[in-house]
């Protein structure tokens, strides 16, 4: 069984708010990037250690702390002390099995957690990454699991290039941009799965085999995993939009509605893919049955053809001294001629009946 399907219970028996990392073990050092910007300028700096870092926020700038790696509870606890984050919020950040949700803490901080999904072309599996966001007055903190690349690099590139509306808006628009990037990546994963399903459908039609069946089961499992990770996001965004969010402006709320529409489209596409997977399963069983019927038809035709031949050979193979044509010099050739005539006649009859 894959490790990603095993539910870990490291927090069992601990008090609420206990900081325990629940997820895949990694050996990398947490990387922290601090970005500040407004419409006129921006500044990006790597934070090698939090010991000498001081949080200084001004009203004319938007601040973004990107934390790449949540496997070190001490680092997360230090960030929590800097921004006065609630212990329950920190616990959800460290728990990679937490479902998508949002919470308001004293109307001063908005906490959002969801899943980033990527497709591995080598293993043909869906890889899920746990993400968390904390938005306050003028700042956003993003937490992501340690991976080979920073999934938020396009947002940072957009800030550096002053492209789009990110530099013109505040922290709520930055939060929207991060969530929108995650949702857009869902579509790219679905495109890969769609290509695989089309290829799998062609393979099943041409030559159904156990390998195709195994791939089909794997595909259905990946779709179920995706739906489990994405479906709660739809309800989360709907509730976030319905509630009066003091930290989110009405302008950003319109963009969040667009993200909700995209999430609903993703969920509907996943459901249609699951229905298609069930149809492909029926197609596989039908093709396998047809293939077996064709084999049985050929074997039956061969058996029927050999029945009269066996009858003739059985008669003239009996050990009697006095049998008609037994001592006739042309008897052997006549028997062969009769057998060949029977075979040709039966094949023509089968062909006329469309059995061949």
């Amino acid at each position: 069984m894959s490790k990603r399907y095993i539910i870990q219970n490291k927090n069992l028996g601990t008090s609420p708010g206990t900081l325990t990392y629940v997820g895949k073990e990694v050996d990398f050092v947490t990387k922290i990037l601090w970005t500040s910007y407004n419409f006129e300028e921006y500044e990006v700096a790597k934070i090698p250690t939090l010991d000498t870092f001081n949080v200084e926020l001004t009203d004319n700038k938007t601040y973004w702390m990107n934390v790449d790696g949540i496997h070190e509870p001490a680092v997360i606890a230090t960030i929590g002390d800097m921004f006065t984050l609630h212990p329950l919020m920190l616990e959800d950040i460290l728990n990679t099995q937490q479902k998508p949700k949002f919470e308001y803490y004293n109307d001063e901080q908005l906490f959002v957690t969801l899943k980033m999904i990527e497709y591995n072309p080598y293993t043909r599996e869906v890889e899920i990454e746990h993400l968390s966001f904390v938005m306050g007055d003028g700042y956003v903190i993003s937490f992501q699991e340690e991976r080979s690349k920073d999934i938020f690099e396009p947002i940072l590139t957009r800030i550096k290039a002053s492209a789009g509306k990110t530099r013109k808006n505040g922290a709520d628009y930055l939060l929207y941009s991060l969530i929108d990037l995650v949702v857009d990546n869902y579509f790219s994963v679905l495109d890969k799965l769609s290509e695989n399903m089309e290829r799998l459908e062609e393979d099943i039609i041409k030559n159904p085999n156990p390998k195709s069946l195994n791939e089909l089961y794997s595909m259905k499992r990946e779709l179920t995993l995706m739906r489990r990770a994405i479906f709660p996001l739809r309800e989360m965004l709907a509730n976030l939009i319905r509630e009066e969010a003091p930290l989110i402006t009405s302008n950003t709320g319109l963009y969040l509605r667009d993200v909700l529409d995209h999430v609903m489209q993703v969920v509907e596409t996943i459901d249609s893919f699951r229905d298609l997977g069930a149809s492909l399963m029926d197609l596989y069983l039908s093709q396998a049955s047809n293939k077996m019927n064709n084999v049985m038809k050929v074997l039956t035709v061969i058996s029927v053809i050999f029945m009269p031949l066996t009858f003739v050979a059985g008669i003239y193979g009996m050990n009697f001294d006095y049998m008609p044509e037994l001592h006739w010099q042309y008897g052997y050739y006549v028997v062969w001629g009769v057998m060949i005539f029977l075979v040709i006649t039966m094949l023509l009859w089968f062909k006329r009946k469309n059995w061949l």
Side-chain angles (χ1 to χ4, degrees):
M1 187 183 213
S2 178
K3 291 183 178 180
R4 59 194 180 131
Y5 298 107
I6 299 177
I7 300 178
Q8 304 180 33
N9 296 313
K10 294 184 179 180
N11 285 339
L12 290 179
T14 60
S15 59
T18 301
L19 301 187
T20 304
Y21 171 65
V22 180
K24 181 182 178 181
E25 298 296 334
V26 293
D27 298 328
F28 301 99
V29 178
T30 301
K31 297 184 287 292
I32 302 176
L33 196 67
W34 178 257
T35 305
S36 60
Y37 63 89
N38 54 23
F39 182 72
E40 291 81 13
E41 60 181 356
Y42 76 92
E43 182 180 357
V44 180
K46 294 183 179 179
I47 304 177
T49 176
L50 293 173
D51 297 337
T52 58
F53 178 74
N54 295 321
V55 178
E56 297 181 359
L57 306 180
T58 59
D59 295 337
N60 63 339
K61 285 188 176 182
T62 300
Y63 297 87
W64 175 26
M65 174 180 281
N66 183 27
V67 182
D68 190 2
I70 58 174
H71 54 282
E72 297 181 290
V75 175
I76 305 301
T78 302
I79 296 175
D81 294 336
M82 289 180 176
F83 292 90
T84 317
L85 304 182
H86 197 280
L88 293 178
M89 185 190 304
L90 300 178
E91 182 181 0
D92 290 337
I93 292 173
L94 292 170
N95 185 6
T96 61
Q97 296 174 357
Q98 176 64 48
K99 291 183 178 180
K101 72 170 187 176
F102 81 96
E103 291 285 349
Y104 268 106
Y105 290 86
N106 299 325
D107 291 336
E108 297 178 354
Q109 292 176 333
L110 171 63
F111 172 70
V112 176
T113 179
L114 66 160
K115 305 297 181 181
M116 179 71 175
I117 296 179
E118 292 183 312
Y119 180 77
N120 190 326
Y122 302 102
T123 61
R124 294 181 180 178
E125 289 185 345
V126 172
E127 296 181 350
I128 296 180
E129 181 177 355
H130 179 65
L131 303 179
S132 299
F133 305 105
V134 179
M135 185 184 70
D137 186 13
Y139 67 89
V140 172
I141 311 173
S142 58
F143 300 87
Q144 55 181 311
E145 292 186 64
E146 178 67 39
R147 289 292 187 268
S148 58
K149 65 177 182 179
D150 185 3
I151 61 176
F152 296 136
E153 185 66 28
I155 303 297
L156 185 61
T157 302
R158 199 182 307 168
I159 292 175
K160 292 179 180 180
S162 188
K165 302 178 181 179
T166 307
R167 291 266 293 270
K168 301 177 183 179
N169 293 274
D172 58 338
Y173 190 87
L174 174 60
L175 177 64
Y176 151 75
S177 299
L178 297 173
I179 297 176
D180 183 63
L181 176 65
V182 173
V183 175
D184 287 344
N185 202 67
Y186 293 163
F187 288 100
S188 63
V189 175
L190 289 177
D191 289 339
K192 298 294 183 181
L193 294 178
S194 178
E195 294 175 2
N196 287 345
M197 296 197 77
E198 291 177 0
R199 176 189 52 81
L200 188 58
E201 184 177 10
E202 294 177 358
D203 293 342
I204 291 176
I205 293 176
K206 292 179 180 179
N207 182 28
N209 54 64
K211 181 181 178 182
S212 300
L213 183 61
N214 292 334
E215 290 187 14
L216 183 56
Y217 275 119
S218 299
M219 187 76 64
K220 294 180 66 176
R221 184 171 61 245
E222 299 306 312
L223 289 171
T224 301
L225 189 67
M226 279 191 65
R227 194 179 192 278
R228 188 188 308 166
I230 298 176
F231 187 78
L233 180 59
R234 181 175 67 174
E235 182 179 358
M236 184 202 78
L237 287 174
N239 293 333
L240 180 61
I241 294 172
R242 279 197 299 265
E243 291 190 8
E244 294 183 359
L247 297 177
I248 297 180
T249 62
S250 58
N251 180 52
T252 304
L254 294 176
Y255 289 104
L256 288 176
R257 288 189 180 91
D258 182 66
V259 176
L260 176 60
D261 292 338
H262 291 170
V263 173
M264 295 177 64
Q265 182 179 352
V266 169
V267 174
E268 291 174 357
T269 304
I270 292 176
D271 290 339
S272 64
F273 280 1
R274 295 178 69 189
D275 295 338
L276 179 58
S279 300
L280 289 180
M281 180 67 68
D282 295 337
L283 176 63
Y284 173 85
L285 296 176
S286 177
Q287 290 293 99
S289 178
N290 290 337
K291 187 177 180 180
M292 179 62 68
N293 290 337
N294 290 332
V295 172
M296 295 301 298
K297 182 173 64 175
V298 172
L299 295 178
T300 303
V301 168
I302 294 175
S303 301
V304 172
I305 289 176
F306 273 90
M307 285 177 61
L309 304 184
T310 305
F311 175 74
V312 174
I315 290 177
Y316 284 93
M318 293 186 294
N319 296 323
F320 292 102
D321 291 334
Y322 302 102
M323 287 183 62
E325 298 92 20
L326 190 61
H327 298 286
W328 185 31
Q329 60 176 346
Y330 300 110
Y332 174 76
Y333 305 103
V334 171
V335 170
W336 267 109
V338 171
M339 288 184 175
I340 294 174
F341 173 77
L342 290 174
V343 170
I344 295 175
T345 302
M346 296 181 70
L347 289 175
L348 293 175
W349 188 60
F350 291 154
K351 187 70 175 178
R352 185 177 181 182
K353 291 290 187 180
N354 293 325
W355 293 351
L356 290 178

